[in-house]
Each structure stands twice: as structure tokens, then as C-alpha cells.
């Protein structure tokens, strides 16, 4: 961390190299900062950018005693913390902090030192005090109000709760975060399904139910998650094929860029994907792939997948392509020109 009142003393490796009159590449090859007695970085362990206290470095280079910094037990609200230190202070993973830092108060408090984002300790503590789920008086989402957590933060917050308690229920998520029960249930299902799929990928002999049990998920809470996990695994298996089709469509000049297919899991039990053909000369607005029926054209770029992924009847711009469930990518292109 950068101690209170010492931001102006922060130096990067590039600054230290310039101080010695050498280039950064030469400096990092020599690694003088690895010598015994050289001041330790003030950046957190594992940080990609090393930061040093300039007053300490100057003393070392002059052969003088290096002035000590306050020990870790001494805290000042003006200390500047990087993302790892902020995460540690509030007891979450750094990836969770990457979500939390979008909070308007934290955006305003952010300070850049040495090209690295930092936040004053006081701002992090204030955020923690008002963080959803920490206030004892919270009893869920107030009646007739929307979710109390921005939608883009729900996944990270629920992931944190699931990390702490694999048996957590949607009701507890609702109470802790102040979100609608459906929001909490959906986030839990998606997270558990992804983790079950990851566990099966690492242990292929397991069934979804066995993987869920090993992860500590209660059997009565994971019926949807285990079903979705199987769907996630099928989606991962088919992903290279869908990417190849997207590449073939791009080579044909029907997409302005090779975008990844929009993959959805309607009902959590089947895989459906959409590819929008946004180039002016494209023969159809979009293509939809369904693991049950294969490819079909769609009449809408905005909503190529129908509600519930119900297969529409042919006509009105909808045509089912022949060739089976996974025809070769070039055959898909050829079918669109017929």
C-alpha cells in the first residue's frame, strides 16, 4: 500500500531506471531492485506493476539507512490501497473487487498512482459499511421496489455468497442482497451449473448429480442446476463448430466482423445459438442453430431467437436448412445461396 501522504513519492521501475540513467529493458535485466537491502515494493504481492517509495530508494542509493514505513498493524484512513488490498480489506476475491469498484462512490474516490488504480482506505471502509448484505437491518428487497443491487453486480455478489456457503438458498440471497427471489434463484442456478460443468470437465466420470454433491450443493436445491450443467457441457462441446460457421459466414462477406455466436439455454435444458448477418449483401438477417433441429434462417436481426426458442413454422423469412444438425460450415453458406 501507499502510506498516507506519500503518494508523491511513488516510483515505478521505469522511474528507477531513468534515475540510474539506463533504459527500462536494461534495468529489468540487471534487476538491481533484487539486491539485498533494496527497499521492498509498496505495491501488493503479485501486482503486475511494482511501485516503490522514492524516499526509501534514495536513501538506499546514497548508502544511508532506509527509513522504515509504518508496519501493517498501523492503519491510516489516508492509506492508498490497490485492488488486491481493497479486496483483502473487505474479505472478497480481487475479481469481486473489479465489480465493486464500479460503485459511483468508489469511482469518485479512485486515485491513480504509478499508473495503478488505488482507493483511500476510508473510501473502502465506507463502501464496506454500506455494502449490500452487511447491514444487520436488511431483510431483503423492500416491497414494491426493484432490485437493490445493479444487475451487473449480482453475479459477483452471489458468487461470493456461494463461495462462503455452498448450501446457500435463493431465499438467503434475497435477504442478504435485497434482490427479487427470481433474480437470486437465477444467479444461483447459473453459477452452480457452471461450477458443476467445470467439475465434470476436471472429473469426466462424474454425473452432474455426483459433481453437485462433491461441491457441497444440497440435492434438493440443484435440480435445475444439474440439468443446466449438462446443457453447458453440450454448449462447450459444440462451440468450436459454431465458431467455424461464424468464420465461414464472415469469409462470405455476410458479417462485418467475425462475432461470437449468441448462445442461449432456453429452459436450461437445450442449446440454441444465433448469428446475425449484418452486412448489406447478406442473404438473410440472421441464422439460428438449435441442437434439436439444426440451422434455420430468421427474419429478425434484433430477435432471431423466438420467445422460449419455440421453433417457428417455415415462411415469412424462416427456412430450415438441410444437412442435419451440424452440416459442414461451407455447406451452411452454400445452402443460403440456393
Amino acid at each position: 500500500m501507499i502510506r498516507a501522504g506519500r503518494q508523491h513519492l511513488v516510483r515505478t521501475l521505469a522511474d528507477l531506471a531513468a534515475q540510474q540513467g539506463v533504459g527500462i529493458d536494461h534495468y529489468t535485466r540487471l534487476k538491481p531492485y533484487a539486491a539485498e537491502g533494496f527497499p521492498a515494493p509498496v505495491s501488493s504481492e503479485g501486482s503486475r506493476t511494482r511501485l516503490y517509495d522514492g524516499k526509501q530508494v534514495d536513501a538506499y542509493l546514497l548508502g544511508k539507512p532506509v527509513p522504515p514505513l509504518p508496519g501493517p498493524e498501523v492503519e491510516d484512513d489516508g492509506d492508498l490501497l490497490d485492488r488486491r488490498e481493497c479486496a483483502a480489506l473487505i474479505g472478497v476475491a480481487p475479481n469481486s473487487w473489479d465489480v465493486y469498484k464500479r460503485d459511483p462512490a468508489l469511482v469518485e474516490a479512485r486515485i491513480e498512482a504509478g499508473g495503478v488504480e488505488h482507493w483511500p482506505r476510508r473510501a473502502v471502509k465506507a463502501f464496506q459499511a454500506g455494502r449490500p448484505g452487511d447491514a444487520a437491518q436488511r431483510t431483503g428487497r423492500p416491497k414494491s421496489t426493484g432490485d437493490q443491487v445493479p444487475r451487473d453486480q449480482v453475479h459477483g455478489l452471489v458468487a461470493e455468497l456461494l463461495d462462503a456457503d455452498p448450501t446457500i438458498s435463493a431465499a438467503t440471497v434475497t435477504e442478504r442482497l435485497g434482490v427479487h427471489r427470481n433474480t437470486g434463484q437465477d444467479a444461483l442456478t447459473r453459477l452452480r451449473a457452471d461450477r458443476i460443468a467445470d467439475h465434470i470437465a476436471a472429473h469426466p466420470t462424474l454425473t452432474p448429480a455426483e459433481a453437485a454433491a462433491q461441491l457441497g450443493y444440497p440435492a434438493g436445491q440443484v435440480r435445475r442446476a444439474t440439468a443446466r450443467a449438462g446443457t453447458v457441457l453440450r454448449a462447450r462441446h459444440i462451440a468450436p463448430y459454431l465458431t467455424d460457421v461464424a468464420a465461414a459466414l464472415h469469409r462470405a462477406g455476410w458479417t462485418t466482423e467475425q462475432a461470437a455466436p449468441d448462445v442461449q439455454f432456453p429452459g436450461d435444458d437445450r442449446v440454441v445459438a444465433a448469428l446475425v448477418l449484418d452486412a448489406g449483401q447478406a442473404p438473410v438477417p440472421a441464422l439460428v442453430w438449435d441442437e434439436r433441429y439444426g440451422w434455420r434462417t430468421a427474419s429478425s436481426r434484433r430477435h432471431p431467437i423466438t420467445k422460449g426458442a419455440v421453433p417457428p413454422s417455415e415462411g415469412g423469412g424462416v427456412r430450415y436448412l438441410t444437412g442435419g444438425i451440424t452440416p459442414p460450415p461451407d455447406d451452411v453458406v452454400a445452402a443460403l445461396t440456393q
Side-chain angles (χ1 to χ4, degrees):
M1 78 185 73
I2 300 170
R3 287 301 187 171
R6 302 182 76 88
Q7 179 186 349
H8 65 289
L9 297 173
V10 170
R11 292 182 193 167
T12 64
L13 286 179
D15 295 329
L16 300 186
Q19 185 176 2
Q20 296 298 301
V22 298
I24 182 62
D25 290 341
H26 182 67
Y27 190 76
T28 53
R29 282 198 300 271
L30 294 177
K31 290 185 171 59
Y33 46 83
E36 184 177 355
F38 197 94
V42 296
S43 46
S44 61
E45 184 176 354
S47 296
R48 286 180 293 182
T49 302
R50 288 171 173 256
L51 302 178
Y52 292 85
D53 184 278
K55 187 168 287 188
Q56 286 191 317
V57 172
D58 289 346
Y60 171 83
L61 294 176
L62 292 172
K64 297 180 179 180
V66 175
L69 297 176
E73 71 282 356
V74 179
E75 296 184 356
D76 189 299
D77 280 349
D79 292 337
L80 298 180
L81 313 182
D82 64 19
R83 64 185 286 270
R84 293 172 183 271
E85 293 161 337
C86 290
L89 180 60
I90 66 174
V92 301
N95 286 344
S96 294
W97 178 258
D98 291 339
V99 175
Y100 297 148
K101 72 179 185 180
R102 302 172 192 166
D103 182 89
L106 292 175
V107 171
E108 184 176 353
R110 184 180 60 215
I111 294 171
E112 191 168 295
V116 178
E117 291 181 327
H118 287 77
W119 290 263
R121 186 187 297 275
R122 69 172 65 87
V124 180
K125 290 166 66 176
F127 170 76
Q128 171 74 337
R131 186 166 148 235
D134 284 349
Q137 67 271 23
R138 287 188 181 271
T139 57
R141 189 184 71 152
K143 189 175 181 180
S144 301
T145 65
D147 290 340
Q148 302 301 295
V149 176
R151 187 166 294 275
D152 64 351
Q153 295 183 19
V154 170
H155 185 89
L157 291 169
V158 176
E160 179 189 333
L161 295 176
L162 185 60
D163 288 340
D165 180 10
T167 68
I168 194 168
S169 66
T172 302
V173 170
T174 298
E175 181 179 351
R176 293 289 304 277
L177 300 184
V179 297
H180 191 280
R181 183 184 176 90
N182 290 348
T183 302
Q185 182 65 70
D186 185 63
L188 266 181
T189 297
R190 289 169 181 263
L191 280 163
R192 280 177 167 149
D194 287 346
R195 295 181 182 188
I196 291 170
D198 290 342
H199 198 59
I200 292 174
H203 307 280
T205 61
L206 294 177
T207 66
E210 290 169 340
Q214 289 190 7
L215 292 170
Y217 301 154
Q221 295 182 18
V222 294
R223 183 178 60 83
R224 276 185 58 199
T226 53
R228 184 181 174 92
T231 309
V232 169
L233 289 169
R234 297 197 305 277
R236 293 178 182 178
H237 178 74
I238 201 65
Y241 168 72
L242 296 176
T243 299
D244 288 345
V245 173
L249 295 171
H250 184 62
R251 288 194 300 270
W254 296 339
T255 59
T256 55
E257 59 182 27
Q258 187 178 326
D262 174 24
V263 179
Q264 300 181 19
F265 306 145
D268 293 325
D269 61 357
R270 60 190 186 277
V271 183
V272 179
L275 286 164
V276 174
L277 310 187
D278 59 349
Q281 67 273 29
V284 295
L287 277 178
V288 173
W289 181 84
D290 188 309
E291 65 177 341
R292 301 166 300 174
Y293 308 112
W295 292 99
R296 68 168 174 84
T297 61
S299 58
S300 170
R301 287 193 175 102
R302 188 172 182 181
H303 301 294
I305 298 176
T306 57
K307 185 176 181 180
V310 176
S313 301
E314 284 199 313
V318 175
R319 176 167 64 94
Y320 287 83
L321 307 186
T322 59
I325 303 299
T326 54
D330 289 340
D331 288 1
V332 175
V333 172
L336 292 175
T337 60
Q338 295 175 357

